[in-house]
Amino acid sequence: MTIEPPLDTPDNVSHRKIIQVSLRTGPPTREELLAHYPPKFTWHQLKTFVNSGDLGLLKRDKALQKRYNAWSPGVVKEHGSLENYLINHRLQWGKPDTLSLLPSALDSDIRLKDGSISSSKSNQFLPPLPPDAPEYFKADMPFDSEFISIIQNDWPYSVPIEIEHTLIWSRVPIFHPDLIPAEVDTRIQQDGLCGFTGTNELPPSPSTLPECLPALAEWGITMEKLVRSPRGNPEIEEMVRNAGREIDGFVKRRWVEREWETAWFVNPPHFQRIQSVRGLAHIHVFAKKKD
């Protein structure tokens, strides 16, 4: 397939020049995403899905998912399991992400300065948390904390190419009783947490979701298939927002609001029981650089 590069292509290639993009295997490059996996969702639709209450609406391109399914057995063969691959190779705790083929604009300077990585094919487990580890994920955690790993999603969801999809993996809990009042615990256990930064506008109302569902047609999503809690009164909604205050504060520090707009979410705990690394939660951040 061919693509036309955007006007701001760093190598100064004319935007009228057509570039051939070969389809490789393994995690995709930015050029491959543009050429072979064009986004299914707009930024507005993405924010609507995040705010809908059903985080299962966020999808990866089906062809890219097929590519992931073909790639993962080789990783399991080399590292023993996807869990070992993540723990002993991909998650460089406390270090910048120098492994991604889809680097963040926030890491551009760091990638040039720090190319060192540690890697092991062994079945090492994460060491126990030290006594001074925080009880849960906190807004003021250093970006180079040994308890977190901030990486780009190597297999991003089907979002516009200018949207960065970042994962914040955490060795300390993200959900914690000190943060979640009993009145909203059941809801958060089902729906997870989400938030928005960098804009004064309210996020798209869940009531507008039917207008966005055509973008999910190939996944067979209908309103009847949604799994989400009903909205509560203003007091309940404030409790839910406040339960994500530590995440929201961290996101605002990392993605400064005058420069970035973000939508973030954390899958509910029952999702985390089937994720790649049991016992390690992670935060998804979709970040859009402002003009």
Side-chain angles (χ1 to χ4, degrees):
M1 183 177 286
T2 60
I3 60 171
E4 294 188 10
L7 291 175
D8 59 350
T9 305
D11 58 2
N12 294 322
V13 176
S14 167
H15 70 284
R16 293 186 177 88
K17 183 177 179 180
I18 303 299
I19 297 177
Q20 294 284 344
V21 179
S22 300
L23 195 60
R24 303 160 45 259
T25 59
T29 63
R30 186 177 189 275
E31 291 72 25
E32 286 179 290
L33 289 176
L34 278 167
H36 301 284
Y37 312 102
K40 300 292 197 303
F41 313 134
T42 66
W43 179 231
H44 178 82
Q45 289 170 335
L46 179 66
K47 291 190 291 183
T48 304
F49 298 154
V50 170
N51 200 40
S52 71
D54 187 346
L55 295 173
L57 299 180
L58 298 160
K59 303 293 186 182
R60 182 179 292 134
D61 184 286
K62 282 193 169 186
L64 187 59
Q65 181 65 47
K66 185 176 180 180
R67 176 168 166 169
Y68 171 84
N69 294 342
W71 166 83
S72 56
V75 173
V76 171
K77 183 177 180 180
E78 180 178 358
H79 293 272
S81 68
L82 287 174
E83 182 174 358
N84 286 340
Y85 165 75
L86 285 168
I87 290 177
N88 297 310
H89 177 69
R90 187 64 184 92
L91 300 180
Q92 299 287 309
W93 300 101
K95 297 180 180 179
D97 183 9
T98 58
L99 300 178
S100 177
L101 297 179
L102 304 168
S104 168
L106 290 173
D107 289 337
S108 57
D109 293 337
I110 298 174
R111 289 172 68 87
L112 296 175
K113 297 175 183 176
D114 185 359
S116 62
I117 60 171
S118 59
S119 179
S120 171
K121 295 182 182 179
S122 67
N123 296 333
Q124 296 179 22
F125 295 99
L126 287 170
L129 291 171
D132 61 346
E135 284 190 272
Y136 49 80
F137 184 91
K138 295 191 174 183
D140 61 357
M141 292 182 76
F143 301 144
D144 61 354
S145 167
E146 64 180 299
F147 305 119
I148 62 174
S149 178
I150 304 174
I151 66 172
Q152 298 309 107
N153 191 339
D154 294 331
W155 302 91
Y157 293 166
S158 190
V159 300
I161 196 65
E162 69 272 16
I163 307 301
E164 296 189 1
H165 186 176
T166 303
L167 303 175
I168 307 170
W169 288 82
S170 176
R171 292 181 59 200
V172 296
I174 293 174
F175 295 97
H176 192 275
D178 288 353
L179 300 172
I180 304 174
E183 295 91 332
V184 295
D185 181 68
T186 299
R187 172 169 163 178
I188 290 173
Q189 291 291 326
Q190 174 175 281
D191 298 348
L193 293 168
C194 70
F196 303 85
T197 70
T199 178
N200 293 323
E201 298 179 0
L202 292 174
S205 170
S207 65
T208 65
L209 185 58
E211 302 168 14
C212 300
L213 283 188
L216 291 165
E218 65 183 276
W219 288 275
I221 302 297
T222 63
M223 292 296 292
E224 293 72 29
K225 293 182 179 180
L226 300 185
V227 179
R228 55 181 180 166
S229 304
R231 295 281 155 151
N233 59 42
E235 183 180 1
I236 290 295
E237 292 304 308
E238 180 59 29
M239 286 183 186
V240 172
R241 281 191 295 272
N242 200 43
R245 62 187 180 275
E246 298 292 344
I247 304 166
D248 202 65
F250 185 93
V251 170
K252 288 176 179 176
R253 286 178 52 234
R254 175 78 175 178
W255 290 270
V256 179
E257 291 190 281
R258 67 176 179 274
E259 299 177 5
W260 296 86
E261 181 183 354
T262 79
W264 61 262
F265 73 90
V266 186
N267 279 319
H270 70 87
F271 273 42
Q272 295 174 19
R273 287 194 290 271
I274 60 173
Q275 67 187 21
S276 302
V277 184
R278 293 179 179 85
L280 283 183
H282 59 274
I283 303 159
H284 290 256
V285 181
F286 298 110
K288 183 177 186 293
K289 194 84 162 63
K290 294 182 178 180
D291 297 331

